[in-house]
Amino acid sequence: MQILSSTRQIINALMARSRHAKQRRWVQASLAAVMMATLNGCPTMADYGAATSGNNSDFVAPHEQFQVDSMDYPVFAVIQDHIAPRSNVNYPQNNGREMPALKENYRWQVTHKVHGEYLIGSESFDQTSCSWTKDGRDHPEHCEPGGIGAEYLDRIYVYPDGSAYAYGYLKNTPRWPHWFGKDETWFRHDDTGDWSGQPWFECVARCDKLKNMSADRDAQALVQKVNKSTAAIHKSVINVDADYFTIRQEKLQVDPMDYPVFAVSQDREAPRAGVSGKIFTPSWFGQKMLPLKKSYRWRVTHKFHGEYLIGSKQYDQANCRQTVDGRDQPEHCEPGGIGAEILNRIYIHPDGSAYAYAFLKNTQRWPPGKQETLLRHDDSGDWSGQPWFECVARCDKLKNMRADP
C-alpha cells in the first residue's frame, strides 16, 4: 500500500475523512507528550506494520484477514452492568476518554482471531458508541440498527474464561474505501484504563464452542505472559532493522563529552509535532512546540543505528514549565529539578541539519519496568530550510559523528 500525493484535492479529501470523533479518539492514544512520531517521508499504515514484529505484538494489517465466523465461537455477556474502563488514559496528562457502559443485555460475539488472541464485538455497544461520535450528532441514522455505523468499531480482547484485558479499535471498512489501502487497521491493546476485577464476561450461548478458543493453549499462554507487564510487551516489539523500535533508552545513551555542542544559528520557530492524520496526533494541526533559542546549547545524548539525538537542558526546562509539572510543581522545572515526564529530543546530522523530533521518557519519573520508550521520528511538521544548527563547541568531535556510515 502506498499513499499517493499527486494532488492537493486528494490529500484534502483524506484529511476530511479523518475528522470524526472516534478517529481523533484513536489517534490521541497513549504516551504522554506524543512520544510517537512518523517515519521519514509520508508513511503508510503498512509502514507501521512492517516495523513491528507481527508476533503477539502491535501491528498493522487489513482486519479482514483475521475475521472469523462468529458461529464457530461462543457468545459472551457481562455478568452484570459494568462501567467500562476509560480508553487512551495517559495520567497525569489526561484521564482518558469515557466509554459507554457495558450492559448485561448486550451480546458479544467473537469477530477476529489475532495471533492466538480473540476480539469480541457487540452490535448494541457499537450503536451506543456510534451515537457518541460525530456520526451520532450529525447523522444519527448511521447509528441505528442496520446503519453504516461509526468509522471505528470498538472491540474488546477477551480470554476464554471471560477475562477482558484491553480495547481494540477497528476501522469500519464500509466507511473506508479500499483505494490507498485504507482498509488496514492497527491491532494493538489499549489496556490503559482500569481492567481489574476480572472476569467480567461469561458465556451465554454456544458454550460448547469455548473449546475453539482454548485449543491454542501455547498461544494463549504466550499472550498471557506477554500481557503481564508493559515491559514484556515493549521488549517483544524491538526490531532493530526498523525505523522505530522500543527499548530502554539508557542502552543508547552516550557521553556528550565525546561529541560536539550545537546551537541554532538564530532564534526560530520550532516545527509543530504530530501534524495532520499521523498516528498519535495531539490535534489535527499538531502540537505547537516552544521556539528554538540561539542561547540554548544542545548536546548529543543518544546514538543508535547511525543516528544522533540532541537535547538542551534550557529547552527541557522551558518545556517543563508548559506542562502540569510547571503549573503544579514548578520546582521540577528548575535547574537540577527532576524535569517533565517527557523530554524533547531532536534528530540531527553532523552538518547541523535537524530532521525530526523524538520524545523520550524521563526515566527518573517512571518506575522500573516502565522505562522503555519508543524511538521514532516525528518529522510531521515543517522541517524545511535546513541546516538550522551549527557547531559551537567541541567541534573537533564532529569526526565522531561522521565516522558512522
Side-chain angles (χ1 to χ4, degrees), residues 66-173:
F66 298 102
Q67 282 181 327
V68 298
D69 184 347
S70 297
M71 296 301 295
D72 291 337
Y73 294 92
V75 179
F76 292 93
V78 290
I79 297 170
Q80 59 186 10
D81 288 355
H82 198 288
I83 295 175
R86 299 180 75 89
S87 66
N88 303 331
V89 177
N90 186 21
Y91 185 81
Q93 277 70 22
N94 68 66
N95 194 31
R97 182 177 294 275
E98 183 180 2
M99 300 290 284
L102 306 176
K103 298 290 188 180
E104 188 177 354
N105 64 326
Y106 293 169
R107 294 298 177 263
W108 297 76
Q109 303 197 58
V110 177
T111 61
H112 297 76
K113 177 183 177 182
V114 187
H115 300 158
E117 297 185 276
Y118 294 90
L119 283 170
I120 57 174
S122 163
E123 290 184 2
S124 300
F125 188 86
D126 283 342
Q127 290 164 20
T128 303
S129 181
C130 178
S131 68
W132 290 32
T133 69
K134 186 175 180 180
D135 284 304
R137 297 191 299 272
D138 295 350
H139 297 281
E141 68 278 7
H142 288 180
C143 305
E144 296 299 320
I148 196 170
E151 288 199 339
Y152 286 88
L153 305 176
D154 295 323
R155 294 293 179 263
I156 291 179
Y157 287 89
V158 70
Y159 293 125
D161 68 358
S163 297
Y165 56 98
Y167 289 119
Y169 313 103
L170 303 185
K171 286 182 178 178
N172 181 356
T173 50

Side-chain angles (χ1 to χ4, degrees), residues 239-377:
N239 182 344
V240 296
D241 294 325
D243 279 337
Y244 71 86
F245 61 98
T246 309
I247 196 170
R248 290 178 67 97
Q249 59 176 291
E250 294 93 331
K251 296 182 179 180
L252 307 176
Q253 285 179 329
V254 298
D255 184 350
M257 296 301 294
D258 291 337
Y259 294 93
V261 178
F262 292 93
V264 290
S265 305
Q266 59 185 9
D267 290 354
R268 66 172 300 115
E269 291 296 317
R272 299 181 77 92
V275 178
S276 74
K278 313 288 176 126
I279 299 232
F280 290 111
T281 56
S283 67
W284 181 253
F285 295 104
Q287 176 181 333
K288 183 175 175 59
M289 306 295 285
L290 295 180
L292 306 176
K293 299 288 188 180
K294 187 175 181 180
S295 60
Y296 294 167
R297 293 297 177 263
W298 297 76
R299 294 167 173 79
V300 177
T301 61
H302 297 77
K303 170 189 174 182
F304 56 95
H305 302 170
E307 297 187 275
Y308 294 89
L309 285 175
I310 56 173
S312 164
K313 290 183 178 179
Q314 302 101 315
Y315 189 88
D316 282 342
Q317 290 164 18
N319 184 66
C320 180
R321 286 190 286 271
Q322 306 297 310
T323 68
V324 174
D325 286 304
R327 296 191 296 274
D328 295 348
Q329 294 176 300
E331 67 276 8
H332 286 179
C333 305
E334 296 302 318
I338 196 171
E341 288 199 338
I342 303 298
L343 304 176
N344 295 345
R345 294 295 179 261
I346 291 178
Y347 288 89
I348 194 171
H349 294 304
D351 67 358
S353 299
Y355 56 99
Y357 289 119
F359 305 99
L360 306 185
K361 288 182 177 179
N362 180 352
T363 53
Q364 297 182 65
R365 301 294 300 273
W366 294 81
K370 295 292 187 182
Q371 295 180 4
E372 290 86 359
T373 197
L374 187 68
L375 277 298
R376 190 174 174 194
H377 304 126

